[in-house]
Amino acid sequence: MGCSRANVRYPLMLTILGFAMIATFLVLIMMKKMSPIAALVLIPALFCVFVGKGAKLGDYVLDGVTDLAPTAAMLMFAIVYFGVMIDVGLFDPIVRGILKFCKADPMRIVVGTAVLAAIVSLDGDGSTTFMITVSAMYPLYKRLKMSLVVMTGVAAMANGVMNTLPWGGPTARAATALKVDASDIFVPMIPALLVGLAFVFVLSYVLGVRERRRLGVLTLDDVLEEEKEAETVLVGSGDGKVSMGKGGTAGTGLAGGAGSGTDAPEEGTASVASGDDGFKGLDPNRPTLRPKLYWFNALLTVGLLTAMIMEWLPIPVLFLIGAALVLSVNFPHIPDQKARLAAHADNVLNVSGMVFAAAVFTGVLQGTGMVDHMAKWMVDVIPGSMGPHMALVTGILSLPLTYFMSNDGFYFGVLPVLAEAGAAHGVTPLEMARASLVGQPLHMSSPLVPAVYVLVGMAKVEFGDHTKFVVKWAALTCLVILGAGMLFGII
């Protein structure tokens, strides 16, 4: 009898400690009591000891690092690749096009952020999307003192909806787990996903209007005049010239660009990471520009993205080769190559460090069995009367489960169990697979998704601020997609 009770209590203890560990992590980073890297490492290490498996902490961490090492390598070389492409001017025409549309209107800038993130998300990789989007939009947000969490939140939600593309990952995982065709999952879901994307655009409009009310319809020239900066660079725009600062410092009027001065009303703060060296505009005369190599760089990038989508080589290998090639061709002299690598070293270190810290968190969650028991508990508490509505239940559960778990854990560990329960009540695997995609807009801001650290790192936004801002809006986007799917009879 005593052994039986112990067998029951231990899984329950793992479930409770698993939820407690996640809650502790989120509370501490949102209250800014710990940095994300410290929290990702120390909190799971402490809970591993609480579980009684402290002696196996090393194995769990190494397992987690092994799983995430390819992702860290991909991010490291992707940051170098796209950083160099920004330096050589590949994205300057995109920035000028956005400037023509936005015209320093906060509403247009926020909507433009959502549109740009959605378009770039067609490549299926969140990290790439965030690097391009932030690179193009950050100068505008910074210069107009707009809320940077609005930028990160809108980009994450747009990418989350587009992440359901068959080559994006979740759809392929659901198809593999339930042994159905990916196109049979995705194609019928298109109307519901379009509704979700439209909701993101409408939400972007609303948030942009709030920013416009707070800041007014500004011109970049007015902002520069207020800041009285000595140096400016000119970037062509719709009505002529738009002035953008060069080498502005965080100690001037720019300090509010991402701090308390840029809070969207009632939405918290977007804090700049310490050590921000100020705004750097896209100087059309910067020495790193390579106009004669523009089409080479453009074709190389298109080829790289095509190879990613077609899966000709693993993504880390593609970016490793791409980074080496773009450095060698655009900067043939070794001192110049070293200078470009040094220029992007901060981003590389911050993001790769965050990924390896996240490996500790995921390693402990999976190694101790916490995540499995948490998922089993959530499935077990579903009332039997909900059986005929398992697709709806799966859609709702996909929000917290894909936020607190990796996509692999959810689609290969939880979804088959839910699908089996649904099959007993006549719910088809295709309906279950479609419902499982609903939580992706929220999943893209999960602390377990490496790409989100690229987003907040490049935007110089605290992860806790991003989380406080985006969770409610992303959850609402998920529910809109679920509602549309139910209304159209897709789910």
Side-chain angles (χ1 to χ4, degrees):
M1 178 69 78
C3 182
S4 177
R5 287 180 178 175
N7 289 336
V8 172
R9 288 174 182 170
Y10 187 67
L12 180 61
M13 181 189 73
L14 285 177
T15 301
I16 294 172
L17 287 176
F19 282 115
M21 184 175 89
I22 293 170
T24 302
F25 167 76
L26 291 175
V27 168
L28 287 176
I29 62 169
M30 284 193 288
M31 294 180 65
K32 300 182 183 178
K33 299 298 183 183
M34 294 183 73
S35 69
I37 286 184
L40 284 167
V41 173
L42 298 179
I43 291 173
L46 185 62
F47 274 83
C48 187
V49 175
F50 287 164
V51 171
K53 296 189 176 182
K56 296 184 177 180
L57 176 62
D59 294 333
Y60 297 154
V61 172
L62 288 178
D63 288 342
V65 169
T66 301
D67 291 339
L68 288 180
T71 300
M74 182 273 288
L75 293 176
M76 181 183 303
F77 292 106
I79 289 171
V80 172
Y81 180 88
F82 284 105
V84 171
M85 285 301 184
I86 293 165
D87 294 338
V88 299
L90 179 64
F91 301 113
D92 283 20
I94 297 176
V95 175
R96 286 193 291 269
I98 293 171
L99 284 170
K100 288 179 181 179
F101 169 76
C102 296
K103 297 179 182 177
D105 180 356
M107 183 276 289
R108 292 191 178 200
I109 291 172
V110 178
V111 173
T113 302
V115 172
L116 178 61
I119 292 172
V120 181
S121 294
L122 290 170
D123 73 346
D125 180 65
S127 301
T128 303
T129 298
F130 295 148
M131 280 186 276
I132 294 175
T133 302
V134 174
S135 299
M137 302 306 297
Y138 178 80
L140 288 173
Y141 280 81
K142 186 74 172 177
R143 179 54 59 201
L144 297 180
K145 301 181 182 178
M146 293 176 62
S147 174
L148 292 173
V149 288
V150 171
M151 177 180 68
T152 60
V154 165
M157 287 184 286
N159 177 252
V161 176
M162 298 297 289
N163 193 45
T164 56
L165 292 167
W167 54 87
T171 302
R173 288 181 176 92
T176 302
L178 300 186
K179 297 179 175 60
V180 294
D181 190 84
S183 62
D184 291 336
I185 298 173
F186 177 73
V187 174
M189 274 293 286
I190 289 176
L193 294 172
L194 288 176
V195 171
L197 190 60
F199 177 78
V200 173
F201 292 154
V202 171
L203 178 60
S204 302
Y205 172 81
V206 172
L207 294 172
V209 168
R210 292 171 65 175
E211 284 292 278
R212 179 197 280 172
R213 289 173 181 167
R214 185 173 66 85
L215 299 169
V217 178
L218 306 174
T219 67
L220 293 174
D221 289 326
D222 291 340
V223 177
L224 285 175
E225 186 176 349
E226 290 176 9
E227 293 174 354
K228 298 179 180 178
E229 291 185 349
E231 294 182 318
T232 62
V233 298
L234 299 176
V235 178
S237 182
D239 295 324
K241 296 179 178 179
V242 178
S243 301
M244 301 180 99
K246 177 182 178 183
T249 61
T252 65
L254 289 176
S260 59
T262 62
D263 298 346
E266 302 176 4
E267 299 300 345
T269 329
S271 300
V272 176
S274 60
D276 179 14
D277 61 351
F279 170 82
K280 301 292 183 184
L282 287 178
D283 183 352
N285 300 311
R286 57 191 185 276
T288 58
L289 286 177
R290 297 293 184 268
K292 294 182 179 179
L293 293 172
Y294 183 85
W295 289 110
F296 167 80
N297 291 321
L299 291 173
L300 178 62
T301 302
V302 170
L304 181 64
L305 297 180
T306 302
M308 285 172 52
I309 294 171
M310 300 301 293
E311 298 181 351
W312 291 338
L313 284 173
I315 295 178
V317 176
L318 288 172
F319 274 115
L320 193 157
I321 295 173
L325 188 58
V326 76
L327 275 171
S328 300
V329 173
N330 287 276
F331 301 97
H333 302 296
I334 292 179
D336 293 336
Q337 293 180 15
K338 289 181 178 180
R340 289 303 90 212
L341 289 172
H344 302 291
D346 283 349
N347 275 338
V348 170
L349 181 59
N350 288 336
V351 173
S352 58
M354 200 78 74
V355 171
F356 284 121
V360 180
F361 198 91
T362 57
V364 170
L365 263 181
Q366 294 170 358
T368 58
M370 288 182 189
V371 70
D372 294 330
H373 289 290
M374 290 162 62
K376 185 176 184 301
W377 177 82
M378 294 191 76
V379 172
D380 289 344
V381 297
I382 299 172
S385 59
M386 293 298 294
H389 309 289
M390 281 303 295
L392 173 62
V393 171
T394 299
I396 294 173
L397 286 179
S398 70
L399 274 71
L401 289 181
T402 58
Y403 187 78
F404 295 132
M405 300 172 63
S406 67
N407 271 340
D408 285 338
F410 174 70
Y411 286 102
F412 296 122
V414 178
L415 183 58
V417 177
L418 293 172
E420 186 176 346
H425 295 273
V427 183
T428 67
L430 282 173
E431 290 176 303
M432 298 294 290
R434 292 168 193 155
S436 70
L437 300 178
V438 166
Q440 288 306 303
L442 179 59
H443 169 76
M444 286 310 298
S445 291
S446 165
L448 304 182
V449 175
V452 75
Y453 298 114
V454 176
L455 176 64
V456 298
M458 292 187 68
K460 296 180 174 61
V461 169
E462 292 289 345
F463 181 78
D465 291 331
H466 172 76
T467 300
K468 283 190 290 186
F469 175 82
V470 78
V471 164
K472 56 184 176 295
W473 298 121
L476 186 57
T477 304
C478 296
L479 295 177
V480 167
I481 296 173
L482 179 60
M486 300 292 290
L487 182 64
F488 297 147
I490 301 166
I491 297 175

